[in-house]
Amino acid sequence: MENKKMKKNTTDEQSMLLCCKLYISESRNLAALDSIERAAALHRETVIMDKFEDRAYNRVRYTLVSYVIHDTTTDSPIYSPLQQTVLAMVEAAYQAINLEQHSGAHPRLGVVDHICFHPLGREKLEEAAWLAKLVAGDIGNQLQVPVFLYEAAHPTGKALDAIRRVLGYFRPNYMGSQWAGWALPEVLNENPDEGPTQVPRARGIVVIGASPWVRTFNVPVMSTNVSITRRIARKVSARGGGLPTVQAMGLVHGEDSTEIACNLLEPNRVGADRVQHQIGLLAAEEGLDVEEGYFTDYSPEMILEKYKKLVSTNQ
């Protein structure tokens, strides 16, 4: 799904790009997704490069790309169409989705659960952080939703998983394996970086950050016992003494399966093949088989190539 019309850009603008991955807690309500995508379509200089839906998790991720304009004197970023596109999609999501009526097998803290910005082409991480902070201010101040910043967008570089751990993100709150409704106090104990400390229960909170490219790689485990899958996930993750730069969660995935959802923080250092092999070994120790894992997103090289082809076609 891609916008059909794009502003004619120079070759330089085509290489000064930012990518946004926007995670929304919904994939079953097609009318809600349609309203979000119609909001995005009004901003034709941003392209939706990919949409990944998971009905078991009740979660969707949109991958967005657009250019950045820099001040010709200071070379500082001054404008990106992504800012208004993301805000429009977030606002549409809040209008269409009520967190208190949401449930799924994937953790979430809000209707708009996670927004991350990544540099593409010749852009730098500092530009991704600049835009992350602008969007955080928009959501916190205009939409009155608490926002927590992480990595390059945070003054001290706070890690995403550390914020989530404090907020109880990894603890299922419904029937042992599901997340449902709003389960945290309405007044947060920790001040957000933007927005109020009072949490709107229908919207929840959102975590926004900027980081180098992260690949998401999921490995199905042939077991319905999520406790065993979580044990394997802990052992494969860096936090559990496993593979460096790998984060992993064991989750129910449908009525008759589980899987290990992994973030590869440095995919060129520890890639999918190594993760697949390690999970296979750990599963075998538990007497279980695994299926071949799958990426839920494209590589930055693939995104960049696809974007440039679209721009060239529409010039």
Side-chain angles (χ1 to χ4, degrees):
M1 176 185 54
E2 295 145 359
N3 297 346
K4 294 182 179 180
K5 293 183 180 179
M6 299 180 62
K7 180 182 177 181
K8 184 176 181 180
N9 296 325
T10 65
T11 301
D12 186 60
E13 284 174 336
Q14 289 183 38
S15 64
M16 306 293 281
L17 302 169
L18 290 175
C19 175
C20 173
K21 295 182 182 180
L22 173 60
Y23 295 84
I24 295 173
S25 301
E26 185 57 67
S27 66
R28 303 167 189 168
N29 184 337
L30 298 183
L33 299 186
D34 181 64
S35 68
I36 293 166
E37 290 157 22
R38 280 189 280 109
L42 297 175
H43 300 265
R44 296 183 178 276
E45 292 179 331
T46 296
V47 182
I48 297 180
M49 304 299 300
D50 184 46
K51 173 186 177 184
F52 181 79
E53 300 171 85
D54 194 305
R55 291 185 64 82
Y57 290 160
N58 203 5
R59 183 176 175 89
V60 63
R61 186 205 63 239
Y62 294 100
T63 302
L64 314 168
V65 173
S66 195
Y67 61 86
V68 182
I69 293 177
H70 289 247
D71 184 284
T72 56
T73 303
T74 65
D75 198 35
S76 300
I78 56 175
Y79 171 74
S80 173
L82 269 173
Q83 182 179 358
Q84 292 304 315
T85 309
V86 172
L87 184 61
M89 294 177 74
V90 168
E91 191 166 13
Y94 287 146
Q95 292 173 354
I97 303 165
N98 185 332
L99 187 65
E100 293 197 282
Q101 298 171 5
H102 177 272
S103 64
H106 194 286
R108 77 291 182 280
L109 292 168
V111 166
V112 180
D113 183 60
H114 178 203
I115 304 174
C116 49
F117 291 92
H118 308 286
L120 277 176
R122 295 196 297 109
E123 278 298 359
K124 300 176 182 177
L125 186 57
E126 290 80 6
E127 275 69 41
W130 160 79
L131 187 53
K133 287 183 278 192
L134 286 180
V135 171
D138 291 339
I139 294 173
N141 298 321
Q142 295 182 36
L143 304 181
Q144 287 296 291
V145 172
V147 179
F148 289 86
L149 295 171
Y150 73 89
E151 289 199 29
H154 188 274
T156 64
K158 187 178 291 186
L160 173 60
D161 63 334
I163 296 171
R164 286 173 162 175
R165 196 162 283 108
V166 168
L167 294 172
Y169 178 86
F170 299 103
R171 294 192 297 271
N173 65 2
Y174 180 68
M175 297 182 65
S177 62
Q178 301 281 315
W179 282 258
W182 176 253
L184 297 177
E186 289 189 29
V187 178
L188 296 169
N189 294 326
E190 185 172 340
N191 288 333
D193 297 291
E194 295 284 356
T197 57
Q198 182 83 23
V199 181
R201 297 177 65 90
R203 297 182 175 186
I205 65 177
V206 59
V207 183
I208 301 178
S211 73
W213 200 269
V214 175
R215 296 297 308 268
T216 50
F217 180 71
N218 296 350
V219 179
V221 179
M222 299 297 97
S223 172
T224 58
N225 189 330
V226 71
S227 296
I228 295 177
T229 303
R230 287 173 182 156
R231 183 160 66 237
I232 296 170
R234 281 194 297 272
K235 290 180 179 179
V236 80
S237 69
R239 181 177 172 82
L243 298 175
T245 73
V246 172
Q247 298 172 336
M249 293 187 294
L251 300 169
V252 170
H253 195 247
E255 295 182 358
D256 56 0
S257 63
T258 56
E259 71 176 18
I260 298 176
C262 303
N263 287 335
L264 311 185
L265 303 184
E266 296 182 33
N268 292 331
R269 177 182 175 191
V270 179
D273 289 347
R274 189 172 171 190
V275 171
Q276 178 81 43
H277 178 72
Q278 187 67 14
I279 290 176
L281 291 177
L282 293 168
E285 292 177 1
E286 301 281 357
L288 300 176
D289 293 324
V290 300
E291 290 186 347
E292 189 70 25
Y294 60 96
F295 284 108
T296 71
D297 58 357
Y298 293 113
S299 70
E301 293 79 14
M302 293 169 66
I303 290 284
L304 189 59
E305 181 180 359
K306 186 177 180 182
Y307 178 85
K308 289 185 174 182
K309 285 181 179 179
L310 286 170
V311 171
S312 298
T313 300
N314 286 277
Q315 282 184 342

